[in-house]
Amino acid sequence: MSSLSRELVFLILQFLDEEKFKSTVHKLEQESGFFFNMRYFEELVTNGDWDEVEKYLSGFTKVDDNRYSMKIFFEIRKQKYLEALDKTDRPKAVDILVNDLKVFSAFNEDLFKEITHLLTLENFRQNEQLSKYEDTKSARNIMLAELKKLIEANPLFRDKLTFPNLKNSRLRTLINQSLNWQHQLCKNPKPNPDIKTLFVDHSCGQSQPNGAHAPSPVTHPLMGAVPKAGGFPPLGAHGVSPFQPAPAPMPTSLAGWMANPSPVAHPSASAGPIGFPTPNNAAAILKRPRTPPTAVDYQTADSEHVLKRSRPFGMSDEVNNLPVNILPVGYAAQSHGQSSYSSDDLPKDVLMTLNQSSAVRSMDFHPVQQIILLVGTTAGDINVWDLGSRDKVAFRNFKVWDHGARSMPLQPSLANDYSASINRVIWSPDGTLFGVAYSKQIVHIYSYHGGGDVRNHLEIDAHAGSVNDLAFSYPNKQLSVVTCGEDRLIKVWDAVTGAKQYVFEGHDAPVYSVCPHHKENIQFIFSTAIDGKIKAWLYDNAGSRVDYDAPGHSSTTMSYSADGTRLFSCGTSKEGDSYLVEWNESEGAVKRTYHGLGKRSPGVVHFDTTKNRFLAAGDEFRIKFWDMDNVNLLTAIDAEGGLLASPCIRFNKEGALLAVSTNENGVKILANTDGIRLLRTVESRSFDALRVGPAAVVKAPTVGTIGAVNVPVGSSIVDRTAPIASIVAMNGDRNLADVKPRITDESMDKSRIWKLTEINEPSQCRSLRLPDNMTAMRVSRLIYTNSGFAILALSANSVHKLWKWQRNDRNLTAKATASVAPQLWHPSSGILMTNDISDTNPEDAVPCFALSKNDSYVMSASGGKISLFNMMTFKTMTTFMPPPPAATFLAFHPQDNNIIAIGMEDSTIQIYNVRVDEVKTKLKGHEKRITGLAFSNILNILVSSGADSQLCVWSTDGWEKQTSKYVQIPSGRTPTPLADTRVQFHQDQIHLLTTHETQIAIYEAPKLECVKQWVPREGNGSITHATYSCDSQSIYVSFEDGSVGVLTASTLRLRCRINRSSYLSANPSLRVYPLVVASHPSEPNQFALGLTDGGVCVLEPLEAEGKWGTSPPHENDAGPSTISGAANSDQPQR
């Protein structure tokens, strides 16, 4: 509920109290949960009205919310029980014992037994603790004093014990002001208007119900000057509108609609803001999640936790639930209002042209591997391009996978014309899946495993006729696919099983596009139809919440800015007029209309947003750009000509690259400075297999010819044929005339050609030791922030250190790099983030921390209490869970930032709800302390690892243990008694990287089948840590001898060894080595090391190399689940 809606409830409470509606006042207090009337509560307790006492309390808390709430309910029920015993009403006492008090036996069984024993006593005062019990009245007074203390200490009652300081009859005053305003707008205002009703607007016209002549019934007379009409937005614009005109109700805002997911009527209007109508039932307005305005509830609308109250330190994280738009929030100056970007940051330089077999219909960049481009065409072809190598790495054409399972209407359609155009291609938020919507009622979902490894996942017979659009969303914390089609329906499907979850009906024309999104804890979908109607839906099958016209009744697409704070739409009417607008969600209206789109567009104009600052649209054979805060056209380019009249356009996530379709079935790739640098650093990937020396003789196939290797920037794919094209032809007899060949020769002994890359000198890589003027203590934990702008370290002395990179001429992106030194950052207050250590010996402590998804908070422990720190101010927000046992590992739930899995020293795992300060459950299965935790949001499981070398799988639905397995220790190796075992999920959320001091292993969840194992040579010493690169294509492994190994993740083959001499100064007296390794969140070839001497080093390959070594040729393109057994470049397979 919005803050203004909440204030309206207080105004209604004041009005009801003034009108002496006493019972209604208290009912509203209870149902809204906004104000706890202590005076009324005292009255109920004093009178012994126990049923009403608990009923009133239920609006604010429940028995199991926290320890304060439990104590409150226990004291009340105990008093009720004692009074029954005092009256010798034993049947009633037994009833209270069984129905009311038994719930507490689970928490204190001995206490419950003692209470039960009172039944056997002739007088319960014979019990020593109750010997001072006097009469009922005094006992109630004593209990009431205790209850008041408990309520005041309970965080769920904070901000609810004081009624706002309001002037008398405030609601009447506001109504009177509204009537003044309406009267001022009358064409012929009369001196004494006759106000007969509040149900319609006032007018001085004779035929209107609110005429003239009679005195006004409102408390105050019409008075004073009234502001202009535009100065007062209607109350409905803030989420509540009880006084709406009857003919065309003004809708409430998006916030108001989302806070009230009950069925409502949706009156149509020819024009108006994109808002949402108010429910007819006024009580429904009040039935909202009772969350204090100082905190944010991250659950979805259907979550069982939605009515839980927030702690005052509730984290303002998006949560993950996992939004449709995923963009980590950085530090200061990252909001759109303070952006330092200029138009020079726009990608304008044409780098290459990718030729397709037919016209391009849709494109999307991979959300993590931002040089991977997915393209769909009018011929039904799917192409995956690696822009670094300029290769088409995967290709598929339209083909029904299971004819027998398809619907009857589709069968004759396929028989007559076995072809279909693609309407939309899109990646899932994490890039592990992509979806394809076809013009013939089919949706295909593919799984993506890197490179050219694309596999069939789901085939959905989605709609009757064309499937016009699809998108991914996260309702109920489950990844889903949202589709719309020619049959005027919107449907939601489970992305894992393909099961149909929801069907939304209500459009009168084919649905053109869908836009799923979330605001706070509410998930919803916007949909648009070809008749220009816009509707919005909650995941509840209760009908649309809005029915309005897009500007110009146009076929419209809607999109949020990357940070999810600004809503835009772009569309083209049947007459060819195009409209690009921003919506004001707080007022439910068009905020601004952008100028510069041409008239009479031949097709629907496509648009996109980038950097939370710029808009782009393909129009009039050009790409047009706007600053989001300026309605005038910023600039326009023709991309060296050859564009379609209304081309498709798509930015990559960072806005460094822009893809645009051409009139010759091509895609041009435009880049800014960052994009050019990005592509040049990886451009050599296509030629890795040629780096074998002059003795290697490669036999060319008959298809195609070998052209020049050196291709100038900006050349077309047509202008060259790359000698090593990594095309994966997945459809058998497909015509490959437009496909470049892969050079192979089975007779070649490739194992003799390939050589492990050894890096021994500082000149062979880029390394940077981060500046540090603080006390040097070994680095126990290390992580990049999700934005990639900073590195956070936790030292053995419990102090956190934060290094931040600044934007400057040498580092235009402000991202972490080994080329520019960062700043060891402190807030202006100079305070340090230091963990509580209690009486713990720092040498015995097991440090751990976890970072929130928007980099705002870090939760950390070093053997003492767990601390929650604000990353901007370094202030300690709260501490909790004092030892023993101490926390040894922390992990945020991926879809609910208020749920934390806490691994403990005593081998248990506690599932803790930060918001209500409560341990929800305790998991037991390990024998020694917990050393690793990893969630899979696709499988809905938590995997834990312990110092007992055991892996356990837990269901996150009911927290039951599903399976467990011990890590197999290689023969001849003896691990230390408390060897850490770490776990981390692959990007596909199925394969699990397991790190032990003796080995690296890949397991497949949830059954924990060991797919591969890699055991290093003993000369390297034990493994100290390992992690996936951000794209899960590599694994960085650190060793006790100071070296770092780079493994190819899909094969567990060592391809590069970085020796300590390349990044550490030569000092034989110091035994320095990395304890922890962290990978950059968006640069797959950058990682950081936390060292035993307290230092932190960032390493990157040379720009000329672009990556860490090369894989053996026969190991290329192997997915992690395709090869079983163990691969090891140093030892035989095991």
Side-chain angles (χ1 to χ4, degrees):
M1 180 180 286
S2 68
S3 60
L4 290 178
S5 300
R6 189 172 184 272
E7 290 178 3
L8 179 60
V9 174
F10 282 111
L11 296 180
I12 295 172
L13 286 171
Q14 182 196 46
F15 171 80
L16 293 173
D17 186 66
E18 290 172 344
E19 296 299 316
K20 309 301 182 186
F21 295 107
K22 294 299 182 183
S23 61
T24 308
V25 168
H26 303 314
K27 182 70 173 176
L28 180 52
E29 289 168 352
Q30 175 218 324
E31 287 193 346
S32 66
F34 291 159
F35 174 62
F36 185 85
N37 193 325
M38 188 67 80
R39 184 178 299 176
Y40 176 62
F41 181 74
E42 291 174 4
E43 180 182 329
L44 293 176
V45 172
T46 302
N47 295 334
D49 196 347
W50 304 122
D51 290 342
E52 282 301 314
V53 167
E54 289 208 17
K55 187 176 181 181
Y56 188 73
L57 275 172
S58 67
F60 303 88
T61 186
K62 291 180 175 57
V63 175
D64 59 352
D65 274 349
N66 58 40
R67 59 183 181 272
Y68 299 101
S69 300
M70 187 176 295
K71 179 70 170 172
I72 290 168
F73 281 92
F74 175 78
E75 291 296 330
I76 292 169
R77 294 176 182 182
K78 183 187 73 174
Q79 179 62 29
K80 183 167 60 169
Y81 176 68
L82 294 177
E83 290 184 14
L85 289 176
D86 204 26
K87 296 176 181 177
T88 64
D89 190 350
R90 293 187 179 277
K92 183 176 181 181
V94 171
D95 182 72
I96 295 170
L97 182 70
V98 173
N99 296 320
D100 295 334
L101 288 170
K102 189 173 178 59
V103 67
F104 302 104
S105 64
F107 305 96
N108 193 331
E109 188 173 357
D110 292 336
L111 177 61
F112 180 73
K113 289 180 180 178
E114 187 175 355
I115 293 174
T116 305
H117 180 67
L118 297 179
L119 282 169
T120 64
L121 302 178
E122 188 173 301
N123 187 331
F124 65 80
R125 292 174 180 84
Q126 295 172 358
N127 182 288
E128 184 179 349
Q129 297 183 38
L130 297 172
S131 60
K132 295 183 180 180
Y133 186 97
E134 298 179 3
D135 57 275
T136 299
K137 182 177 180 181
S138 60
R140 288 178 181 175
N141 289 335
I142 293 171
M143 182 193 67
L144 182 58
E146 179 68 14
L147 291 179
K148 290 173 70 173
K149 292 178 182 178
L150 290 169
I151 290 170
E152 290 168 357
N154 194 328
L156 300 183
F157 287 84
R158 290 175 190 170
D159 302 322
K160 299 182 179 182
L161 300 177
T162 305
F163 197 90
N165 186 17
L166 303 175
K167 292 183 178 180
N168 293 337
S169 304
R170 178 60 182 160
L171 183 58
R172 291 178 180 271
T173 301
L174 289 175
I175 294 172
N176 183 63
Q177 291 173 349
S178 173
L179 293 172
N180 271 286
W181 176 55
Q182 294 174 19
H183 186 62
Q184 182 74 14
L185 296 179
C186 293
K187 293 183 179 179
N188 299 301
K190 298 183 179 180
N192 294 309
D194 184 10
I195 308 297
K196 295 180 178 179
T197 179
L198 297 177
F199 292 165
V200 297
D201 284 348
H202 160 71
S203 174
C204 288
Q206 294 294 331
S207 61
Q208 300 299 321
N210 279 346
H213 308 308
S216 171
V218 295
T219 303
H220 305 290
L222 289 169
M223 56 187 176
V226 177
K228 295 180 180 179
F232 284 87
L235 191 59
H238 302 293
V240 180
S241 185
F243 312 118
Q244 293 182 345
M250 176 65 72
T252 61
S253 70
L254 179 62
W257 163 69
M258 290 187 300
N260 180 31
S262 58
V264 296
H266 42 274
S268 178
S270 59
I274 183 165
F276 305 91
T278 301
N280 295 327
N281 182 359
I285 301 173
L286 309 177
K287 293 180 181 176
R288 294 175 167 83
R290 294 182 281 279
T291 304
T294 55
V296 178
D297 188 339
Y298 294 96
Q299 322 305 324
T300 62
D302 298 319
S303 170
E304 63 181 0
H305 302 294
V306 76
L307 294 181
K308 296 285 186 183
R309 263 63 63 188
S310 299
R311 291 174 58 85
F313 56 85
M315 289 163 283
S316 56
D317 218 327
E318 74 297 329
V319 207
N320 313 322
N321 338 20
L322 295 174
V324 174
N325 297 307
I326 300 180
L327 183 67
V329 179
Y331 294 95
Q334 294 304 307
S335 67
H336 64 261
Q338 300 175 340
S339 174
S340 59
Y341 294 118
S342 70
S343 60
D344 294 334
D345 294 308
L346 293 168
K348 301 177 185 177
D349 297 326
V350 178
L351 294 190
M352 65 185 79
T353 300
L354 313 175
N355 284 336
Q356 310 292 142
S357 58
S358 53
V360 173
R361 285 296 303 271
S362 180
M363 300 178 292
D364 197 25
F365 278 97
H366 195 280
V368 179
Q369 303 175 53
Q370 297 186 49
I371 59 171
I372 300 296
L373 179 65
L374 177 65
V375 181
T377 72
T378 55
D381 296 337
I382 308 163
N383 303 279
V384 180
W385 292 89
D386 183 335
L387 303 186
S389 63
R390 307 189 184 198
D391 286 335
K392 186 191 298 181
V393 297
F395 167 84
R396 283 199 174 182
N397 60 351
F398 174 69
K399 184 177 182 180
V400 176
W401 303 344
D402 186 355
H403 282 268
R406 302 287 63 85
S407 63
M408 291 303 296
L410 181 60
Q411 302 285 356
S413 174
L414 294 175
N416 296 331
D417 180 16
Y418 195 81
S419 64
S421 173
I422 290 176
N423 289 326
R424 182 66 182 268
V425 293
I426 190 170
W427 293 99
S428 65
D430 61 0
T432 59
L433 302 172
F434 67 82
V436 185
Y438 290 100
S439 61
K440 285 188 178 176
Q441 71 192 69
I442 293 291
V443 166
H444 280 163
I445 306 297
Y446 295 91
S447 62
Y448 182 67
H449 303 268
D453 191 355
V454 175
R455 307 174 193 174
N456 296 359
H457 177 58
L458 288 176
E459 183 174 65
I460 303 173
D461 197 342
H463 294 270
S466 174
V467 183
N468 294 333
D469 197 11
L470 88 160
F472 289 93
S473 68
Y474 275 97
N476 307 321
K477 304 179 185 178
Q478 301 284 339
L479 182 65
S480 298
V481 180
V482 183
T483 63
C484 66
E486 195 175 4
D487 56 4
R488 309 178 183 182
L489 301 176
I490 300 103
K491 299 182 181 181
V492 183
W493 315 83
D494 187 299
V496 176
T497 66
K500 188 190 301 179
Q501 296 175 319
Y502 301 95
V503 178
F504 301 129
E505 302 181 49
H507 277 289
D508 297 323
V511 185
Y512 181 72
S513 71
V514 288
C515 176
H517 196 57
H518 75 283
K519 285 287 185 179
E520 296 183 357
N521 60 323
I522 304 300
Q523 301 275 347
F524 58 94
I525 304 168
F526 280 120
S527 63
T528 68
I530 63 173
D531 60 359
K533 291 291 184 183
I534 297 174
K535 294 180 182 288
W537 318 79
L538 291 173
Y539 294 87
D540 58 6
N541 286 324
S544 68
R545 264 46 178 202
V546 68
D547 185 358
Y548 282 95
D549 292 324
H553 298 267
S554 55
S555 295
T556 297
T557 55
M558 307 186 79
S559 178
Y560 279 87
S561 57
D563 59 9
T565 62
R566 307 177 71 174
L567 176 62
F568 302 90
S569 71
C570 183
T572 303
S573 68
K574 295 177 181 178
E575 293 75 25
D577 296 324
S578 297
Y579 303 85
L580 177 61
V581 303
E582 178 180 5
W583 295 94
N584 187 326
E585 291 183 86
S586 64
E587 295 185 3
V590 171
K591 182 176 182 179
R592 54 172 60 92
T593 300
Y594 296 92
H595 308 313
L597 290 176
K599 300 292 184 181
R600 303 295 180 262
S601 299
V604 176
V605 171
H606 297 263
F607 87 113
D608 201 2
T609 71
T610 185
K611 297 180 182 291
N612 300 311
R613 178 64 186 274
F614 297 111
L615 296 167
D619 183 45
E620 296 185 310
F621 306 96
R622 295 183 296 169
I623 307 168
K624 298 179 178 180
F625 299 96
W626 290 263
D627 185 306
M628 288 181 178
D629 297 321
N630 192 328
V631 298
N632 296 315
L633 188 66
L634 178 64
T635 187
I637 59 173
D638 64 0
E640 300 178 2
L643 301 185
L644 293 165
S646 300
C648 297
I649 64 169
R650 192 68 172 174
F651 287 103
N652 75 342
K653 182 178 176 181
E654 296 297 327
L657 301 174
L658 175 63
V660 56
S661 59
T662 70
N663 58 12
E664 295 183 351
N665 300 342
V667 176
K668 288 189 176 184
I669 304 299
L670 285 66
N672 60 13
T673 305
D674 295 334
I676 294 172
R677 184 183 299 113
L678 172 66
L679 291 177
R680 283 178 176 170
T681 58
V682 298
E683 197 169 22
S684 61
R685 289 181 181 176
S686 296
F687 311 109
D688 287 339
L690 288 182
R691 296 174 181 171
V692 296
V697 179
V698 181
K699 189 181 297 182
T702 57
V703 181
T705 58
I706 298 179
V709 170
N710 296 319
V711 181
V713 172
S715 63
S716 167
I717 289 293
V718 168
D719 299 332
R720 70 176 178 91
T721 52
I724 305 296
S726 53
I727 179 68
V728 180
M730 294 169 277
N731 284 285
D733 299 330
R734 176 73 182 168
N735 182 0
L736 297 180
D738 62 334
V739 175
K740 294 165 288 177
R742 179 194 294 273
I743 307 303
T744 59
D745 191 333
E746 298 300 328
S747 64
M748 189 185 303
D749 186 359
K750 295 177 183 175
S751 62
R752 289 183 298 168
I753 297 171
W754 177 83
K755 183 180 180 181
L756 175 70
T757 301
E758 294 270 1
I759 295 179
N760 301 305
E761 303 294 333
S763 60
Q764 293 179 282
C765 67
R766 290 180 290 162
S767 66
L768 172 68
R769 187 178 175 107
L770 305 189
D772 189 357
N773 55 10
M774 298 173 62
T775 303
M777 293 286 287
R778 72 173 185 271
V779 178
S780 302
R781 295 291 181 263
L782 189 71
I783 192 173
Y784 282 86
T785 58
N786 294 293
S787 64
F789 297 157
I791 288 177
L792 178 67
L794 173 58
S795 300
N797 61 354
S798 307
V799 175
H800 300 77
K801 299 178 183 179
L802 180 67
W803 287 271
K804 293 171 65 174
W805 274 258
Q806 308 297 316
R807 189 186 305 277
N808 53 43
D809 293 339
R810 295 181 59 199
N811 186 11
L812 299 177
T813 65
K815 284 190 174 182
T817 174
S819 303
V820 179
Q823 172 191 5
L824 181 58
W825 192 85
H826 299 284
S828 56
S829 63
I831 64 175
L832 300 177
M833 282 193 291
T834 306
N835 278 335
D836 168 74
I837 57 175
S838 301
D839 299 325
T840 308
N841 182 350
E843 294 299 319
D844 297 333
V846 181
C848 54
F849 64 23
L851 187 64
S852 65
K853 286 185 281 294
N854 72 350
D855 299 336
S856 295
Y857 301 91
V858 63
M859 196 160 287
S860 183
S862 296
K865 297 178 183 177
I866 301 173
S867 300
L868 178 69
F869 295 102
N870 185 307
M871 285 281 283
M872 291 299 297
T873 64
F874 283 14
K875 290 182 179 179
T876 304
M877 308 297 291
T878 189
T879 59
F880 54 98
M881 282 201 176
T888 57
F889 205 91
L890 300 168
F892 282 103
H893 193 290
Q895 293 149 354
D896 184 351
N897 230 40
N898 289 302
I899 302 296
I900 305 167
I902 305 175
M904 309 300 286
E905 181 72 33
D906 67 353
S907 79
T908 64
I909 303 163
Q910 300 195 19
I911 306 303
Y912 178 72
N913 190 318
V914 180
R915 186 162 43 90
V916 297
D917 186 20
E918 180 185 10
V919 176
K920 304 299 292 184
T921 189
K922 187 180 291 187
L923 312 180
K924 297 179 180 180
H926 288 274
E927 299 167 8
K928 297 181 181 179
R929 72 183 182 208
I930 304 302
T931 58
L933 296 167
F935 283 95
S936 170
N937 53 10
I938 287 181
L939 299 176
N940 292 326
I941 59 173
L942 168 68
V943 178
S944 60
S945 58
D948 55 1
S949 301
Q950 184 183 190
L951 308 177
C952 294
V953 179
W954 314 85
S955 166
T956 58
D957 294 327
W959 301 111
E960 302 92 359
K961 184 177 178 180
Q962 293 185 342
T963 188
S964 64
K965 185 168 290 188
Y966 284 91
V967 174
Q968 296 300 311
I969 306 301
S971 59
R973 300 288 180 99
T974 303
T976 56
L978 290 175
D980 283 0
T981 306
R982 299 292 174 83
V983 286
Q984 180 189 7
F985 270 105
H986 184 279
Q987 191 182 76
D988 64 10
Q989 296 283 293
I990 296 173
H991 292 90
L992 185 77
L993 170 64
T994 303
T995 305
H996 188 267
E997 63 179 27
T998 65
Q999 64 185 280
I1000 299 294
I1002 303 295
Y1003 289 83
E1004 188 170 291
K1007 294 183 180 180
L1008 293 182
E1009 297 173 351
C1010 186
V1011 179
K1012 300 182 196 308
Q1013 183 188 42
W1014 180 80
V1015 180
R1017 62 188 185 190
E1018 294 193 40
N1020 286 34
S1022 297
I1023 295 171
T1024 60
H1025 198 250
T1027 185
Y1028 274 121
S1029 61
C1030 64
D1031 59 2
S1032 296
Q1033 301 302 299
S1034 303
I1035 299 173
Y1036 300 114
V1037 188
S1038 57
F1039 297 91
E1040 277 189 336
D1041 67 352
S1043 66
V1044 178
V1046 184
L1047 308 182
T1048 299
S1050 60
T1051 61
L1052 286 193
R1053 293 297 299 265
L1054 181 68
R1055 69 170 190 261
C1056 178
R1057 181 183 292 115
I1058 305 166
N1059 293 306
R1060 68 190 305 274
S1061 57
S1062 65
Y1063 68 92
L1064 290 174
S1065 59
N1067 189 342
S1069 64
L1070 294 177
R1071 183 172 177 264
V1072 179
Y1073 60 91
L1075 285 172
V1076 61
V1077 56
S1079 58
H1080 192 284
S1082 59
E1083 297 292 339
N1085 292 298
Q1086 183 187 139
F1087 62 90
L1089 301 174
L1091 307 175
T1092 52
D1093 67 353
V1096 174
C1097 289
V1098 175
L1099 281 82
E1100 292 182 277
L1102 296 174
E1103 288 194 16
E1105 297 294 328
K1107 60 189 291 188
W1108 299 105
T1110 60
S1111 300
H1114 68 277
E1115 297 288 357
N1116 284 345
D1117 298 326
S1121 61
T1122 59
I1123 301 177
S1124 60
N1128 186 355
S1129 61
D1130 298 316
Q1131 295 189 180
Q1133 294 186 4
R1134 58 180 75 227

